[in-house]
Amino acid sequence: RDVTGVQTCALPILPITRRPAGQAAPASLFQEQLWHHARRNQDVRSFYNESTTIHRYGNLNRAALESSFANILRRHEAWRTNFEEVNGEIVQMIHGSPREIEIPYIDLRGIPEGIRLAEAVRLATEDARRPFDLKHDALVRPLAITADDDHHLLFFTMHQIITDGASVYQILPYELSTLYDAPAELRHSALPDLPLQFADLAYAERNLISEQAINKELGYWKDCLAGELPQLNWP
């Protein structure tokens, strides 16, 4: 109860631990919603494509770029995941870490300088509008374009089923920059392994909404809201 005598309840905390090994990871509720929406609305499948651009000034080391991206995929299970319906439930199909990645590369230095950036944007926009097959396609699509000797653009198109704003605009640029600048022999260990993955959150979320868990939560809130309602003195 607070100082006024009214009973208060803190929101329960969702415990997240590593999911059991060897079990298919369930999709989160949001991922399941996107899956069904994409299946029902084939004509708007690219609506959930999220795109970002990272500029690189100076020399471009393509080998370092591809190695850095491969290490990002190793760190993040969500970015090497597909989705499939198994026995009526949507599950995450998490693939193994790639040893090597070949990023599509386009060199625009052979066309007039004044139209290079416009052409780069056109190519990236065309790629960003291509829909993803959630079951078969890699759901992160990189594209590297050289516009000048010292200006390069890296475009990423990702489906929202495996990413969000923080991932696209904060985590991805930071990790790519950190790994790219690391010496090649230290690139694999330049960032620590993640203790938890998104599939662990989805597993915990599904356990939370099981019938037994719902009954427990229902009892919790019934206790919180029991008793006489406080009088509200509205003006």
Side-chain angles (χ1 to χ4, degrees), residues 20-200:
Q23 293 186 16
S28 72
L29 297 177
F30 179 67
Q31 288 175 329
E32 183 177 6
Q33 180 185 23
L34 286 185
W35 164 273
H36 288 299
H37 189 268
R39 292 290 295 272
R40 290 195 304 265
N41 302 277
Q42 295 290 319
D43 55 333
V44 295
R45 285 184 300 161
S46 62
F47 178 78
Y48 288 110
N49 290 7
E50 189 78 32
S51 299
T52 188
T53 306
I54 298 175
H55 294 264
R56 167 70 183 176
Y57 296 96
N59 294 329
L60 177 65
N61 185 334
R62 290 176 59 190
L65 176 63
E66 292 175 341
S67 174
S68 300
F69 183 57
N71 273 284
I72 288 176
L73 294 184
R74 178 187 62 82
R75 280 171 51 77
H76 297 276
E77 290 180 351
W79 292 347
R80 45 185 167 89
T81 294
N82 286 109
F83 297 83
E84 189 171 345
E85 189 169 352
V86 178
N87 298 325
E89 296 184 357
I90 311 306
V91 297
Q92 301 187 50
M93 310 301 292
I94 301 171
H95 305 290
S97 303
R99 292 187 176 182
E100 296 181 353
I101 290 288
E102 183 175 350
I103 295 178
Y105 173 75
I106 300 174
D107 190 342
L108 296 180
R109 286 174 293 184
I111 67 174
E113 182 177 359
I115 64 172
R116 291 176 190 170
L117 286 181
E119 177 63 8
V121 171
R122 186 192 69 79
L123 291 169
T125 301
E126 184 179 88
D127 183 64
R129 288 176 176 168
R130 284 197 296 123
F132 287 101
D133 182 330
L134 299 181
K135 185 176 179 179
H136 299 106
D137 291 346
L139 301 183
V140 183
R141 244 186 349 241
L143 173 64
I145 295 180
T146 290
D148 209 337
D149 292 342
D150 58 357
H151 186 195
H152 316 273
L153 302 99
L154 183 62
F155 298 99
F156 283 97
T157 300
M158 311 170 76
H159 196 283
Q160 288 184 18
I161 201 169
I162 51 93
T163 191
D164 56 19
S167 301
V168 172
Y169 301 113
Q170 297 177 32
I171 296 174
L172 176 60
Y174 166 74
E175 292 194 357
L176 186 65
S177 175
T178 300
L179 294 169
Y180 183 90
D181 291 335
E185 65 274 12
L186 299 177
R187 193 165 289 132
H188 189 81
S189 58
L191 292 171
D193 289 339
L194 298 173
L196 295 171
Q197 298 285 340
F198 184 80
D200 300 322

